[in-house]
Amino acid sequence: MTHVYPGHFITFEGGEGSGKTTQLALLADTLRGLGFPVLQTREPGGTALGDAIRALILNGSKDDPDIDPKTELFLYLASRSQHVTEVIQPALTAGKIVLCDRFTDATLAYQGDGRKLPKEAIEQMTHFASYGLVPELTFFLDLDVQTGLARLKGREEINRMDQETFQFHNAVYQGYHSLARANPKRIVIIDASGTIDAIALKIQGHINAFLS
Ligand code: TMP
């Protein structure tokens, strides 16, 4: 769908430990400081229902520890539909800059390349679930898998997806690269191996060009 809103829809993607959440928060602060109305949100989640789904997917169920890959896909998509209609579309209609931590690219990379579900089916389902909404700009924070996973070790909360094998995370990483190759205008690859400030500056440069 062509972008028909007065606001802007920008997403952040990357593997575990790539620093996208930190960078999203920094960009939100910078944009607010410049006087832009910003909505900061994430997937799965972003709504009360989405947060409940997030807890289910990321923690799993005590009595049902293995989530079937298709069940997992549907849960991510269920969170997305609610998020798009309840939060994202109204914010874009109100002229806000929506910064979203993960969106449809994550489903293609994780459920497609990671879980090996068929990509064409996922593409159709994500289009349906997101009401055809596509980000105008996506930052892919590119960090090698080993470094990203090593960063997780310092975290208090390690979720069900974090605990997947290196092979899984590597397939996700390759998946993001092929998405970036297929969508060179929308997806900007950001080398995420530098300092937090250096990465923030690179992102800021792209945003300045995008907004002007
Ligand atoms: P995060 O908030 O740390 O990025 O955690 C969300 C996890 O969910 C992360 O491992 C990526 C995963 N995910 C999918 O597998 N598919 C999706 O569609 C989304 C949005 C996230």
Side-chain angles (χ1 to χ4, degrees):
M1 189 211 281
T2 30
H3 195 74
V4 291
Y5 301 98
H8 293 293
F9 185 36
I10 299 168
T11 58
F12 280 67
E13 299 280 358
E16 319 299 335
S18 61
K20 65 184 168 45
T21 307
T22 304
Q23 291 299 332
L24 188 153
L26 287 174
L27 180 62
D29 285 349
T30 305
L31 290 174
R32 283 194 191 105
L34 293 169
F36 289 102
V38 175
L39 176 85
Q40 209 175 322
T41 189
R42 69 172 175 185
E43 287 209 357
T47 63
L49 183 63
D51 282 336
I53 294 173
R54 180 182 177 91
L56 274 178
I57 315 177
L58 296 186
N59 304 337
S61 154
K62 194 162 44 58
D63 304 320
D64 237 346
D66 295 325
I67 301 182
D68 168 75
K70 288 185 186 171
T71 307
E72 182 185 87
L73 169 67
F74 292 136
L75 288 172
Y76 281 113
L77 297 182
S79 168
R80 180 156 312 139
S81 302
Q82 191 67 25
H83 193 204
V84 168
T85 50
E86 188 183 322
V87 172
I88 300 178
Q89 278 176 336
L92 292 174
T93 304
K96 293 189 181 165
I97 298 181
V98 176
L99 301 181
C100 188
D101 194 335
R102 299 195 187 280
F103 200 64
T104 44
D105 296 312
T107 319
L108 282 159
Y110 279 81
Q111 279 64 53
D113 295 279
R115 299 282 188 234
K116 310 288 182 218
L117 292 177
K119 289 259 185 75
E120 266 174 39
I122 299 179
E123 266 164 18
Q124 284 175 7
M125 282 189 265
T126 50
H127 182 83
F128 184 63
S130 59
Y131 293 82
L133 184 67
V134 177
E136 293 170 85
L137 179 65
T138 297
F139 291 109
F140 163 45
L141 274 82
D142 180 356
L143 185 69
D144 73 274
V145 180
Q146 224 143 12
T147 310
L149 292 178
R151 282 187 190 171
L152 291 188
K153 298 219 168 89
R155 288 198 186 160
E156 274 177 24
E157 280 178 36
I158 302 285
N159 67 44
R160 201 177 57 83
M161 305 296 281
D162 298 335
Q163 288 165 11
E164 279 297 336
T165 60
F166 176 84
Q167 202 184 13
F168 175 87
H169 289 292
N170 201 40
V172 169
Y173 178 74
Q174 301 302 337
Y176 273 126
H177 269 287
S178 43
L179 280 166
R181 276 194 301 275
N183 300 274
K185 287 208 180 113
R186 174 174 67 84
I187 303 181
V188 177
I189 302 179
I190 300 286
D191 176 357
S193 64
T195 64
I196 290 179
D197 287 349
I199 298 164
L201 266 181
K202 280 187 222 161
I203 292 175
Q204 189 63 56
H206 286 285
I207 285 289
N208 292 344
F210 172 76
L211 291 176
S212 59

